[in-house]
Amino acid sequence: MKKERMITFLDAMIPIIMIFLVLEFPKPEHISLSTLLELRTDFFAYFVSFFWLGMMWVGSHERFENIDEIQDKTFWATIIMLFFTSLIP
C-alpha cells in the first residue's frame, strides 16, 4: 500500500475522534463561573485527550515521512492503534 493512503486515512480518522471528544462534552444548563468551575475536570480531560491525539497525529506523519510503501503489519498496527484511541477518550 502506498503511504499516501495511510496518511489520508489517519488525516480523516483522528479528526473524527477529536470531534467525538467535543460531542461527549457535558453542556451546562446555564453559563456562569460556578458551572464552568464544576466542569473543570471535564475541561482538563478534554485538554489532555485533544493534545494527546494531536501528538499522535504529528508523530504518525513524522514516522511515515521516509517510508515509500506500508507493509500489512504496519497497516494493521495502525488500525488497532486507532481502535483503542477511539475507546480511550
Side-chain angles (χ1 to χ4, degrees), residues 3-32:
K3 75 174 183 179
E4 289 79 19
R5 291 193 67 188
M6 177 63 74
I7 291 171
T8 303
F9 183 69
L10 283 170
D11 286 347
M13 291 303 296
I14 292 178
I16 289 171
I17 295 169
M18 287 176 166
I19 289 170
F20 284 129
L21 288 175
V22 173
L23 294 177
E24 292 182 9
F25 204 76
K27 294 165 185 63
E29 291 181 22
H30 63 282
I31 296 184
S32 68

Side-chain angles (χ1 to χ4, degrees), residues 54-65:
M55 288 187 307
M56 185 175 26
W57 194 3
V58 169
S60 66
H61 277 277
E62 289 175 359
R63 187 176 56 223
F64 292 132
E65 188 172 306

Side-chain angles (χ1 to χ4, degrees), residues 43-67:
F43 278 119
F44 181 72
Y46 173 75
F47 175 81
V48 169
S49 298
F50 186 88
F51 282 98
W52 176 68
L53 285 166
M55 288 187 307
M56 185 175 26
W57 194 3
V58 169
S60 66
H61 277 277
E62 289 175 359
R63 187 176 56 223
F64 292 132
E65 188 172 306
N66 297 323
I67 297 174

Side-chain angles (χ1 to χ4, degrees), residues 70-81:
I70 304 291
Q71 296 178 354
D72 286 343
K73 186 167 54 170
T74 305
F75 173 75
W76 286 108
T78 304
I79 295 295
I80 291 169
M81 176 202 65

